[in-house]
Amino acid sequence: MSGDHFRVVYDGPAVEDGEMDVSQLASSLLALGKLIENADAIRTGEAGRVKVRVKSDVRRGSFDVGIAVHWIDGLKDAALAWALTPEGAGTLAILGLLGFNVKDTAIIGGKGVIQVVRWLHGRRVARQIILENGNTTLIVEDGEQLDVNTTVARLVDDPSIRQPLEKFTEPLRDDGLEEIRFENQLGVAAERIISIEAPAFVAASGAEPSSSSTFRATYQIKRLFFDRGRKWRLSNGAQTIQAEIEDEDFWARVDASDVSFAKEDYLVCMVRMDQWLSPSGLRTEYVIVRVEQHLPAPKQVALPGM
């Protein structure tokens, strides 16, 4: 890698003015720190070797954060984008295993944790086979398989990795943030996670919901997307939700231009609410199963004499 530090860039309409909600940013960065620290502990079998530090670097149009790893054994700080010193080599190994910069490492097939979790996309690993070359074959329930570095296989299956990875990517599940990317040079992405991929990074992805219910409701459209898989922002006046629309008939009408939208239109729809219990707490997701009606926003009636 080149450059003088590793950058984590949060990008999308929500941060185009160079500002980001402080609680959202803090939670995501704390999770990133825990992710790196836990990965090193699993890799080496020795906890407490590293601490992650933040170097603020805000630029208009996105929110950039420089990250540095501090090695507790007294060696100097190693920025994540440089260093061939022993501590720097350790940093690069962690980043490669996690998938932040697999193009610049010897990780098998260029796949770290991020790439494997993306490949799994909510599927569960049914079997693992340790190969003679020291790598591991992951086999999912539908029979598809992938050869990965054995340490990557351990990390992907470890809750101490998957839970902070879920928390780190949490901003992508909110409205207005479109991607988190990792840059080893200014403006050059080594890897990126986009909002449509965010569900795959949930720790409980692929698990059956602990509860599920379907109900009919009317929602006002606050933000819409014409890319399938993107979550629409909807409000019933008391609660705002984000929901993916699964109704194929609705999408067929949209594709045929049989329906058009204006500001503050309404949808009458059947909604499925799924909930999961996990070590990090209760998670709730909404899905629009069927759009029954599209109602234009009521037009204001002019008073007589106006």
Side-chain angles (χ1 to χ4, degrees), residues 12 15 91 127-128 135 162 172 216 218 223 259 262 271 279 289:
V15 295
T91 297
R127 294 176 58 205
Q128 293 190 20
N135 294 312
R162 294 299 300 272
L172 291 173
R216 188 172 186 264
T218 300
R223 187 169 186 182
V259 58
V271 184
V289 178

Side-chain angles (χ1 to χ4, degrees), residues 110-170:
K111 295 189 183 298
V113 171
I114 289 174
Q115 293 75 32
V116 175
V117 171
R118 181 185 288 131
W119 172 76
L120 287 171
H121 199 70
R123 299 176 298 177
R124 290 194 169 276
V125 176
R127 294 176 58 205
Q128 293 190 20
I129 301 174
I130 298 177
L131 305 176
E132 291 183 1
N133 62 8
N135 294 312
T136 295
T137 298
L138 303 180
I139 304 174
V140 294
E141 294 171 328
D142 61 11
E144 191 175 356
Q145 60 186 42
L146 181 71
D147 290 350
V148 302
N149 177 284
T150 293
T151 303
V152 171
R154 288 175 56 202
L155 294 175
V156 167
D157 199 41
D158 197 302
S160 72
I161 296 298
R162 294 299 300 272
Q163 288 172 19
L165 181 59
E166 173 186 344
K167 199 68 177 175
F168 170 60
T169 57
E170 183 69 32

Side-chain angles (χ1 to χ4, degrees), residues 36-91:
I36 293 172
E37 292 165 16
N38 290 352
D40 183 68
I42 293 171
R43 180 179 73 94
T44 64
E46 186 178 347
R49 287 170 22 104
V50 300
K51 290 294 180 185
V52 178
R53 291 179 174 176
V54 170
K55 298 168 124 180
S56 180
D57 186 10
V58 181
R59 292 203 319 278
R60 187 169 183 81
S62 62
F63 197 96
D64 299 18
V65 180
I67 304 293
V69 171
H70 180 69
W71 294 79
I72 304 304
D73 59 8
L75 297 174
K76 66 179 183 179
D77 284 2
L80 298 194
W82 63 267
L84 297 178
T85 57
E87 67 271 29
T91 297

Side-chain angles (χ1 to χ4, degrees), residues 4-300:
D4 50 354
H5 72 277
F6 191 82
R7 311 172 72 89
V8 178
V9 183
Y10 299 83
D11 210 347
V15 295
E16 61 187 6
D17 58 357
E19 296 182 358
M20 186 171 175
D21 179 82
V22 65
S23 61
Q24 185 184 62
L25 175 65
S27 179
S28 180
L29 290 179
L30 284 170
L32 175 61
K34 187 60 65 177
L35 182 64
I36 293 172
E37 292 165 16
N38 290 352
D40 183 68
I42 293 171
R43 180 179 73 94
T44 64
E46 186 178 347
R49 287 170 22 104
V50 300
K51 290 294 180 185
V52 178
R53 291 179 174 176
V54 170
K55 298 168 124 180
S56 180
D57 186 10
V58 181
R59 292 203 319 278
R60 187 169 183 81
S62 62
F63 197 96
D64 299 18
V65 180
I67 304 293
V69 171
H70 180 69
W71 294 79
I72 304 304
D73 59 8
L75 297 174
K76 66 179 183 179
D77 284 2
L80 298 194
W82 63 267
L84 297 178
T85 57
E87 67 271 29
T91 297
L92 293 174
I94 297 170
L95 293 177
L97 291 168
L98 289 174
F100 295 162
N101 67 323
V102 288
K103 295 177 183 177
D104 296 317
T105 66
I107 298 299
I108 178 173
K111 295 189 183 298
V113 171
I114 289 174
Q115 293 75 32
V116 175
V117 171
R118 181 185 288 131
W119 172 76
L120 287 171
H121 199 70
R123 299 176 298 177
R124 290 194 169 276
V125 176
R127 294 176 58 205
Q128 293 190 20
I129 301 174
I130 298 177
L131 305 176
E132 291 183 1
N133 62 8
N135 294 312
T136 295
T137 298
L138 303 180
I139 304 174
V140 294
E141 294 171 328
D142 61 11
E144 191 175 356
Q145 60 186 42
L146 181 71
D147 290 350
V148 302
N149 177 284
T150 293
T151 303
V152 171
R154 288 175 56 202
L155 294 175
V156 167
D157 199 41
D158 197 302
S160 72
I161 296 298
R162 294 299 300 272
Q163 288 172 19
L165 181 59
E166 173 186 344
K167 199 68 177 175
F168 170 60
T169 57
E170 183 69 32
L172 291 173
R173 288 180 280 279
D174 289 339
D175 184 44
L177 200 72
E178 295 180 347
E179 72 172 25
I180 300 175
R181 62 180 179 270
F182 310 93
E183 296 183 353
N184 54 12
Q185 299 179 49
L186 183 61
V188 179
E191 183 55 83
R192 54 168 41 93
I193 303 171
I194 60 176
S195 58
I196 199 171
E197 298 172 328
F201 290 85
V202 173
S205 182
E208 289 297 320
S210 56
S211 65
S212 184
S213 60
T214 303
F215 54 91
R216 188 172 186 264
T218 300
Y219 285 98
Q220 187 176 53
I221 301 171
K222 293 299 184 180
R223 187 169 186 182
L224 55 80
F225 297 94
F226 293 116
D227 300 323
R228 300 194 189 196
R230 299 291 297 272
K231 293 185 177 182
W232 290 35
R233 188 179 181 189
L234 307 168
S235 173
N236 64 5
Q239 178 191 33
T240 298
I241 67 169
Q242 295 184 78
E244 180 181 346
I245 299 178
E246 292 185 343
D247 187 344
E248 289 299 325
D249 290 337
F250 171 78
W251 284 116
R253 295 197 302 274
V254 171
D255 293 341
S257 299
D258 291 337
V259 58
S260 59
F261 300 92
K263 185 179 180 181
E264 298 183 343
D265 281 1
Y266 290 83
L267 295 179
V268 180
C269 45
M270 294 300 297
V271 184
R272 188 180 74 241
M273 181 180 73
D274 297 327
Q275 293 185 306
W276 291 262
L277 290 172
S278 71
S280 58
L282 180 67
R283 179 170 64 90
T284 303
E285 297 280 350
Y286 296 90
V287 174
I288 306 300
V289 178
R290 185 173 68 255
V291 177
E292 296 186 346
Q293 287 182 279
H294 166 228
L295 303 176
K299 294 186 175 7
Q300 186 172 1

